[in-house]
Structures are given as structure tokens and as C-alpha cells.
Amino acid sequence: MKHNHLPLLQLSNLEVTYLSDLSQADTQDFISVQDVSFDIQEGELFALVGESGCGKSTLINAVLRTLNPPGVISGGQCFFLGSDLFQITESKLNQLRWSALSLVPQSAMNALNPVLNIWAQFQDVLEKHDQQDLSLKSSMSSSQIEQPSEQELRTLVVETLELVELSADVLKLYPHELSGGMRQRVTIALALILRPKLIIMDEPTTALDVIVQHEIMQVVLRLRDELGFSILLITHDLPLVLSLADRVGIMQKGKLLKVATPTQLLLEPQIDYIAQLIHASKIPIPKALNSKLTIESALPKHQAKTVTLKAKNLVKIYKQKSFWKSTQKTVLQNVNLELYQGETLALVGASGSGKSTLARLFMQMEQPTSGEIYLGEKRLDPKKVDRAFKTQIQMVFQDPFGALNPIHTIAYHLQRPLLIHQVCTAQQVRAQALALLESVGLSPAHEFIDRYPHALSGGQRQRVCIARALASRPKLLIADEPTSMLDVSLREDLLLLLQQLIQEHQLSLLLITHDLSTAQALADQVAILDQGKIVEQGLTTEVFQNPQHPFTQRLVKAIPQTPNLSASQNLREDQSV
């Protein structure tokens, strides 16, 4: 029997251990999560916050019992709807998954099957559960639930998509045809399709722009109020959870340091690490970078500067032909940009605004419908890509986890471009690869060069990606959301590294981002892209301090704000009086 006063989920003394390799005598078991206990009440949004590597994702996999070897649950209990998830059979657990306990995975870009359209992905979920799981809050009658037809199931799916503000048109599309925000809404709809009691959301707003982040979380909160489910939110975005969560758990190095309401955390941080997280979330711009902006923003505009990259009246139209009709979509409209040697231009826009399309045009991965691109004084030939061009322009991709081939070592990833671009001889290549690692702060380099990507953290992998891009000694780097999947401290370190490399090598950097704090920290100039058009551009400080276009104003307004800690301390003193 269900008792409303009992927690929906109760985790007690969870311990997760990664077992050592018995064939190696000098290795020891590693305890990844240690003595973690918390509960989640019905209708509650409980957030777990911590930096990369603190054990958040390991904890989720333990609760869902999806840990990969050599990870094992070495202690603790997890009660959900009266059953200990660690003790029930796999068959019973499969009945609970999605129907009562569902997951919104991290990174919607990789969570959906790329070879199936959206309708097929919903079918896959529904077919895995018997008809009793389909007794949902929908227009289907009880008689229909016994043997629902495909059309009736389609009606149910359309109703669920409407809950997340998507139309039925997306069902025929494939994941790559959707923007990041639309993909994230699809993953939320998949998690909701069987109306579960608890939804685990693992970094649901990672890699989304601030406007889409705000919209997604508002949809989630509205659905929670309407449908009554609880949420376990896993994130490193402290400002987000302090503004939305009912309670927050802070994790560090596998341990749960504290569980409190957002107000309690701000009034009484007590633990130094929590105070540091709050402080870091309020100061996203490193002081060294801030001083750089202050100095350079006072310089005359483009005085005696050399143009590295120029876009002139760029237009990109995608055409699609079918048996019945031909359609076209204009992604970029008359885009004009100039990037100067030794400077950083931030291209800021919402998901689907055309940022990545523009990057592909600059890299000559695609060709513009019309318009011209110049690298230096040379106009790029849309019909010809030579090695000299590839040597001068390189790209750092958004996802550090997917950008490196998992079957090759770091040495392979760095030595290959050195040889392809004839930077050095085969005899010199290892020494050059070691020097590249040192240049991006992976020191001592000999400890990293023979590792595989899975043995590196997200921040370390992104540094390897930057080192690989530097291998050809380019004039221009295009960085596509380089910090979007990193936590606050790693993001700050990477920004400082990029600033250092720009100054040392006189690189030009095109920074594609939706993170305004990253753009504000690193960029000399900023261009705001909305629906394929540049709607505002100029000095970074001027654009963000005094935004003129309504879209830029929306971007600035949508940034989650961490409440002021000193003001909270004053409030505590007033309350004590």
C-alpha cells in the first residue's frame, strides 16, 4: 500500500566500487561513490550538483542498475515505490524502467538513434512495455488500452509531444534534422510517454543556449505541476538549480557533503567547497581575462589590423527533393563578418540559428549558396580545397568525448596531423607531439601521450583536441562550443589556456558559443546571430552592456543569476536580529 508520507525514492549508504584488475598485483579497488544517502519526495525537484568526476553519473547508473564492469554496487539500499532496486529481479526492474522511473540522458545530440526517425524511437519504447503500462492520462479509453492500434499509439505520442510544445511534424524527421532544443524536448517526451513517477535528468541543458535552457526548464516545471512527477536533476550548473530546485545535494569526490534548500546553502554555506562553487558560479569571467577585455576594448577599432577571415554576403539554402515536391530552407541570410589577426570574434546565437552551418562553410565542409569567403586576401574556391588551406584553418569540436577516436592513443591523434601537414619528419614526430601536449598544459607530457581517450577527463580531452588543432600551426582556430560540456572550474582553465595560446601564437579565434559569459570573457568582438541573420555586432563590452536588438536583450535576460552571497549574509544577520 502506498503511503503519501513516505519518500518516493530513498537512497541509503550507497557505495559504488570499481574493482581492480586481478592480473596486476599493484592495483587497488577504487571507491567512486561512498556512503551517499538522500531521499526524494513526491512532486519534488531534487538537484545533485558537483564538478566533473565527483560521482554524479555513477550514482545515476547505480540507481538504474546500469553500471558497466568493473563498477559494482558494493553497499547500500535504494527503495523506490516500496521495492529495493538493488535486490529486485532484472525482469521486475525492466517493468519499472520508463513506466515508473525514466531517464533523460546527458547530451540530446547523442541520446537519440541517428538511423531511426522520431516516430520509430517512440515505437521502440512502447513496444518494450506491455499494455498495462499504457493506462495513461490520454484520450485513449480503457477499452482501447487493451489492444491499442498504431493510430491510437500515434495519438498518444502526439499528445505527449504537445506537452513539450512540439508538433506532430517532428515524428517523420530524423535527429540530425532537429535543433538541439528540439532534440532535448524529444528526449523529455520519451521519458514522459509512460507517465513515470520519477524522472532522472542528467545535465538536460548541457550544450543548449540560455534561451532554450530557460524554455526547457520552464516546460519541465510546468509538466511536473500538471502530471505530478518528481525530478532528480543532475548538473554542474549551480545558478540553474539555486533558482529552480526544492532541495540541493552537493557532491565532491564521491561523497555527499550537504543536502539543503537553496536558501540554506546561500545563507549558511558552512563548507569551503560549497562556498567556492557559489563564488565560481557568480564570477564566470577570470580576472586575467576581464583585465584583457578592459584594456583591449579601449583600443581604436581595427586600426592597422590584418584581416584573417572575411565573410561577404553569405547565403546558405538547403534544398530537399522528394517524389511529390521540392522544399527549401534558408539557414543563412547575407552574413557579413570580419575577424582580425590575434583577435577573437564570438558568434553567439540560439540553437538552430545557423552558427554550426556557418562554421562548416568556413571549413569548406559545405559550400555557400552564394557569397564569398576570404582567408587573408585569398578568396576560397568553393570547388577546390587544397592542403595549404587545411593547414591554415583548424577546428575544435564541441564534444570532447566524441571528437577523439577511442581505439587510438593520444600519440596517434597528435602525430597524424603533424605528418599529414608535413610539419616535421617521422623521426621528430613524437617529440613534437610531446611539445604540443606541454603547450596545452598536459604536463608531464610523457604521462599522457600513450593513454587512450577514455583514460582522460573531459577537460583533458578538450586540451588534446586543442593540441591536435595546433599541430598544423594554423592562422585561424574555429572553436565550436569548446566549454559547453565542462564544469565551472574546467571552463575557466580552458578559457585562460585559449587566451594564452592566442597571445603566444597570434592566432585568430572564431568562438562559436551560446554561453554569454564565455563570449564576454574571451572575445574582442561579438556577433549575434538570430534565424540566420547577424542582428547585432561590435565590441563585446558594448554589445552586452547595452544590447540594442530585442533578441540580444532576451539572451542577456535569460542568463540564470546566482543570488548575491553577501546580500544573503546580510539577510541572515537581519533575521537573527
Side-chain angles (χ1 to χ4, degrees):
M1 183 179 293
K2 178 180 173 182
H3 300 284
N4 292 330
H5 65 277
L6 292 177
L8 180 65
L9 181 138
Q10 187 169 17
L11 194 65
S12 301
N13 309 114
L14 173 64
E15 181 177 281
V16 177
T17 302
Y18 284 90
L19 303 178
S20 61
D21 187 350
L22 296 178
S23 64
Q24 300 182 18
D26 59 341
T27 59
Q28 295 181 342
D29 294 348
F30 173 69
I31 299 177
S32 176
V33 175
Q34 184 175 356
D35 196 28
V36 171
S37 301
F38 63 85
D39 59 62
I40 299 176
Q41 304 295 324
E42 289 192 7
E44 182 180 29
L45 195 164
F46 185 94
L48 271 182
V49 180
E51 295 183 319
S52 299
C54 71
K56 303 188 302 294
S57 295
T58 298
L59 185 148
I60 290 176
N61 288 323
V63 170
L64 294 172
R65 276 175 49 185
T66 54
L67 281 169
N68 291 321
V72 296
I73 299 170
S74 50
Q77 295 176 307
C78 182
F79 284 94
F80 177 70
L81 295 179
S83 300
D84 187 347
L85 296 181
F86 298 163
Q87 299 298 326
I88 62 176
T89 64
E90 188 69 24
S91 175
K92 176 66 174 176
L93 184 62
N94 283 333
Q95 291 179 8
L96 289 175
R97 288 175 179 149
W98 294 104
S99 61
L101 174 64
S102 64
L103 173 69
V104 177
Q106 186 177 2
S107 178
M109 296 183 178
N110 303 318
L112 300 174
N113 191 326
V115 300
L116 297 178
N117 65 20
I118 303 305
W119 166 239
Q121 311 213 28
F122 277 97
Q123 280 184 307
D124 189 48
V125 173
L126 294 170
E127 289 173 359
K128 293 293 187 294
H129 292 266
D130 59 37
Q131 306 307 324
Q132 295 301 315
D133 292 331
L134 300 181
S135 54
L136 311 174
K137 299 175 184 177
S138 72
S139 61
M140 295 167 61
S141 66
S142 57
S143 61
Q144 290 174 324
I145 293 170
E146 294 177 2
Q147 292 182 338
S149 66
E150 180 173 319
Q151 182 56 46
E152 291 161 350
L153 290 177
R154 194 178 186 89
T155 300
L156 170 63
V157 171
V158 170
E159 289 178 357
T160 307
L161 286 173
E162 289 174 349
L163 290 175
V164 296
E165 301 174 1
L166 288 176
S167 69
D169 294 338
V170 304
L171 290 174
K172 62 185 178 182
L173 302 178
Y174 288 82
H176 72 273
E177 298 178 287
L178 305 178
S179 69
M182 294 174 72
R183 277 179 279 189
Q184 192 64 283
R185 289 170 191 260
V186 169
T187 61
I188 293 172
L190 282 165
L192 285 171
I193 190 66
L194 299 176
R195 303 302 191 269
K197 294 289 186 181
L198 175 65
I199 296 181
I200 300 175
M201 307 187 77
D202 187 5
E203 302 281 6
T205 59
T206 295
L208 300 179
D209 63 78
V210 288
I211 290 178
V212 176
Q213 283 181 22
H214 180 77
E215 292 173 349
I216 290 291
M217 292 313 301
Q218 290 304 312
V219 167
V220 169
L221 291 176
R222 175 178 58 79
L223 292 175
R224 180 192 64 164
D225 293 339
E226 291 178 2
L227 304 179
F229 56 82
S230 302
I231 301 170
L232 173 55
L233 176 64
I234 310 296
T235 184
H236 59 251
D237 191 341
L238 190 59
L240 179 71
V241 301
L242 289 178
S243 63
L244 298 179
D246 298 305
R247 287 188 299 150
V248 183
I250 304 293
M251 286 193 70
Q252 183 188 32
K253 297 180 179 179
K255 295 182 179 180
L256 188 63
L257 301 183
K258 187 179 180 69
V259 175
T261 66
T263 302
Q264 289 170 338
L265 283 178
L266 289 166
L267 292 178
E268 299 180 15
Q270 295 177 332
I271 301 170
D272 289 341
Y273 176 69
I274 298 176
Q276 291 170 10
L277 278 181
I278 295 172
H279 181 71
S281 69
K282 294 192 302 175
I283 308 178
I285 304 174
K287 290 181 179 179
L289 292 169
N290 206 11
S291 62
K292 170 182 178 287
L293 276 176
T294 304
I295 295 170
E296 296 196 0
S297 61
L299 295 176
K301 296 182 181 180
H302 313 318
Q303 183 175 355
K305 294 181 180 179
T306 303
V307 175
T308 301
L309 179 71
K310 181 179 180 180
K312 186 176 180 180
N313 300 324
L314 280 186
V315 175
K316 180 61 179 178
I317 300 174
Y318 287 107
K319 296 181 180 180
Q320 187 173 16
K321 292 183 179 180
S322 65
F323 182 79
W324 301 105
K325 62 178 181 179
S326 297
T327 60
Q328 65 180 33
K329 181 179 179 181
T330 302
V331 180
L332 295 172
Q333 304 179 53
N334 295 320
V335 171
N336 292 278
L337 288 175
E338 287 187 354
L339 174 57
Y340 297 87
Q341 183 179 351
E343 288 196 353
T344 298
L345 171 65
L347 185 64
V348 179
S351 299
S353 62
K355 304 188 303 296
S356 295
T357 298
L358 190 56
R360 289 195 293 270
L361 296 184
F362 289 149
M363 291 295 299
Q364 289 199 301
M365 297 165 65
E366 295 185 24
Q367 304 306 323
T369 304
S370 64
E372 301 171 352
I373 300 173
Y374 292 86
L375 188 60
E377 297 182 354
K378 179 182 178 182
R379 181 184 174 185
L380 300 183
D381 185 350
K383 298 181 180 180
K384 180 181 178 182
V385 179
D386 56 22
R387 182 176 295 174
F389 163 79
K390 289 294 186 182
T391 301
Q392 295 180 58
I393 182 169
Q394 290 290 314
M395 191 163 183
V396 178
F397 295 96
Q398 178 174 358
D399 183 5
F401 301 93
L404 300 174
N405 192 325
I407 68 172
H408 291 301
T409 65
I410 303 307
Y412 174 88
H413 286 91
L414 297 182
Q415 291 173 4
R416 189 165 180 265
L418 287 169
L419 294 174
I420 288 175
H421 296 290
Q422 301 176 356
V423 176
C424 60
T425 65
Q427 292 74 25
Q428 300 169 323
V429 68
R430 186 172 177 87
Q432 288 289 330
L434 288 167
L436 283 170
L437 288 176
E438 293 283 352
S439 72
V440 296
L442 292 178
S443 180
H446 64 82
E447 293 185 2
F448 295 92
I449 194 166
D450 293 317
R451 294 186 189 180
Y452 287 85
H454 72 267
L456 303 182
S457 69
Q460 289 171 337
R461 280 185 251 199
Q462 196 63 294
R463 287 172 182 262
V464 171
C465 292
I466 293 172
R468 178 176 61 182
L470 293 173
S472 67
R473 299 173 184 173
K475 294 180 179 179
L476 170 65
L477 277 183
I478 297 178
D480 187 4
E481 305 280 8
T483 63
S484 66
M485 302 187 74
L486 305 179
D487 58 58
V488 173
S489 60
L490 293 178
R491 185 164 66 238
E492 184 171 322
D493 290 342
L494 196 65
L495 291 177
L496 288 169
L497 171 64
L498 287 171
Q499 179 203 356
Q500 177 186 343
L501 293 172
I502 290 167
Q503 293 175 342
E504 288 180 359
H505 301 281
Q506 279 296 291
L507 289 170
S508 299
L509 175 65
L510 177 63
L511 176 66
I512 298 173
T513 183
H514 63 254
D515 185 349
L516 299 191
S517 62
T518 299
Q520 205 170 1
L522 198 60
D524 305 284
Q525 304 281 326
V526 64
I528 308 297
L529 189 66
D530 181 32
Q531 298 181 4
K533 297 180 180 178
I534 300 292
V535 296
E536 191 166 356
Q537 60 182 313
L539 288 172
T540 305
T541 49
E542 293 178 359
V543 170
F544 288 132
Q545 288 176 7
N546 187 27
Q548 300 297 310
H549 193 272
F551 178 73
T552 312
Q553 294 169 358
R554 283 181 63 203
L555 278 176
V556 174
K557 187 177 180 180
I559 303 173
Q561 298 294 325
T562 301
N564 187 279
L565 184 56
S566 60
S568 300
Q569 290 170 337
N570 293 335
L571 175 61
R572 179 181 59 186
E573 292 171 2
D574 293 340
Q575 289 173 339
S576 65
V577 173

